[in-house]
Amino acid sequence: MALYSEKVMDHFRNPRNVGVIEDANGIGEVGNAKCGDIMKMYLKIEDDIIKDVKFETFGCGSAIASSSMATELIKGKPVADAMKLTNEAVAEALDGLPDYKMHCSVLAEEAIKSALDDYHKRNGQ
Amino acid sequence: MIYADNAATTKMSEKALETMVSLIKDTYGNPSSLYEFGQKSREVLEDARAKVAKAIGANPKEIIFTSGGSESDNQAILSAAKAGEAAGKKHIISSAFEHHAVLHTLNKLKKEGFEITLLDVHENGLIDPGEVEDAIKEDTCLVTIMFANNEIGTIEPIREIGEVCKKHGVTFHTDAVQAIGHIPVNVVDDNIDMLSASAHKFHGPKGVGFLYVRKGVRLFNLIEGGAQEKGKRAGTENVPGIAAMAVALEDAVSNLENYSKIVTAKRDRLIEGISDISHSALNGDAKKRLPGNVNFCFEGIEGESILLLLDDKGIAASSGSACTSGSLDPSHVLLAIGRVHDVAHGSLRLTIDESTTDEEVETIIASVKEVVEYLRGFSPVWRDLISGKREFIL
């Protein structure tokens, strides 16, 4: 049996929305190198819709796959919907993660929320 | 597949495999049975003992067959501790980067009131025999230092450490799991009182190993029961496995010089090729290391990702990253040689053997370069490093 589901491996091998948005209006970074995981999310929000999202991740296979899946789940969605993203939803969309890797999905949720917080701060909310 | 994880386990040699299969089929008698069919198994067992003893310069009576390295380490350390305690000596010296079979056994003893000194292994992964001598006290009952490290492959000055122990009358045990069959080991010349080994690290089967105990050193049982192994290790002997181990060891030892020459050259080419990668560093001394061991840290990326991508390219390797161990901390070995967490997470261990071809070596080098560059391409840590927001460590 493989360590990860096919979905996880697909998102790890072909991560969606990788990179940087130069004119992002919401940026969030969570985790630290000491623990071996850092995720950075870039959001471009227009009219309360997530027009574009990109990520950069330092971490293991499930950290990269979780980042990729999280971006897929919020892209094109209203900000209010993105605010409701949970780590369970990320893990479920990946057809599950091993127990000791669930923190990767938590980190993905936190990275999105941190970028949304940054967006709200920039907009004086 | 390019198999570059020989420190994890090795492929069984044809000869070991044939020996094992033939014994399982035809020589299944219990060596403790008195009829001839049982005594045939006894002969096979004693022949294996003689071969193993010869391979390390020991007397056959000094060899106890076990289930492998972990059991041997446990029995050796717990025995020396028990003997020490009876003499009022409860201090043990070891190193910070031993295998967990040693470290966890020492932790258990610590809870039972033993004092444990873990020596520094320095940046190059080498223990200083002078520091061993300085650490020895009146109540030191055991020094246990590995022959060669399982992650970074550094070869310790065992003979000198053994000499120090001999001078002070302290029992000296070495976990030689990675060394046996890969570099010359002679228990007499190297001043070793107890030595642990495991068959599957030198092309023998899994679940078999041995413990060398010099005549006169006290040994206590871990497993109680029948009188097998002179009453020191109960349980019907794994005759096919033991005999397969013996032929694998005999072959490995008779070929040591050739093996060392061939594999060291490939290892050094791997090190040279991978060193081209910027902000990378070899872990452990470049020369005093096992012929087949290469271990690097790459800044800005994480080890498990490297392994998964190498696996996709058909290369089987290993890492000391936290994510590969299921814990939050990276390898205790890399931390012991002073690598900080940030860098220790990005480690890669490649352990080759003589079957690794020059072409495979070049494929590994090219693949590692490609994978490191790819992962750095979307690492926020790497971005911060190259933009100067974060300082390079390597």
Side-chain angles (χ1 to χ4, degrees), chain B residues 307-324:
Chain B
L307 296 190
L308 291 170
L309 291 170
L310 287 178
D311 190 20
D312 276 352
K313 292 175 181 296
I315 300 168
S318 161
S319 168
S321 110
C323 280
T324 57

Side-chain angles (χ1 to χ4, degrees), chain B residues 185-237:
Chain B
V185 175
N186 183 295
V187 289
V188 178
D189 295 347
D190 294 336
N191 307 306
I192 297 165
D193 293 319
M194 293 199 274
L195 173 148
S196 305
S198 180
H200 75 105
K201 306 291 190 185
F202 50 80
H203 304 287
K206 292 168 184 64
V208 193
F210 66 88
L211 175 62
Y212 155 79
V213 185
R214 191 174 55 77
K215 189 170 179 270
V217 173
R218 280 184 83 182
L219 192 70
F220 296 92
N221 293 35
L222 275 189
I223 301 170
E224 301 294 346
Q228 291 89 353
E229 299 299 295
K230 293 186 287 302
K232 296 303 181 193
R233 205 277 186 179
T236 300
E237 300 89 341

Side-chain angles (χ1 to χ4, degrees), chain B residues 290-334:
Chain B
L290 291 169
N293 179 291
V294 175
N295 190 315
F296 269 87
C297 276
F298 304 104
E299 199 156 8
I301 54 174
E302 193 277 333
E304 193 211 71
S305 301
I306 305 174
L307 296 190
L308 291 170
L309 291 170
L310 287 178
D311 190 20
D312 276 352
K313 292 175 181 296
I315 300 168
S318 161
S319 168
S321 110
C323 280
T324 57
S325 68
S327 84
L328 281 177
D329 282 322
S331 141
H332 70 289
V333 173
L334 298 177

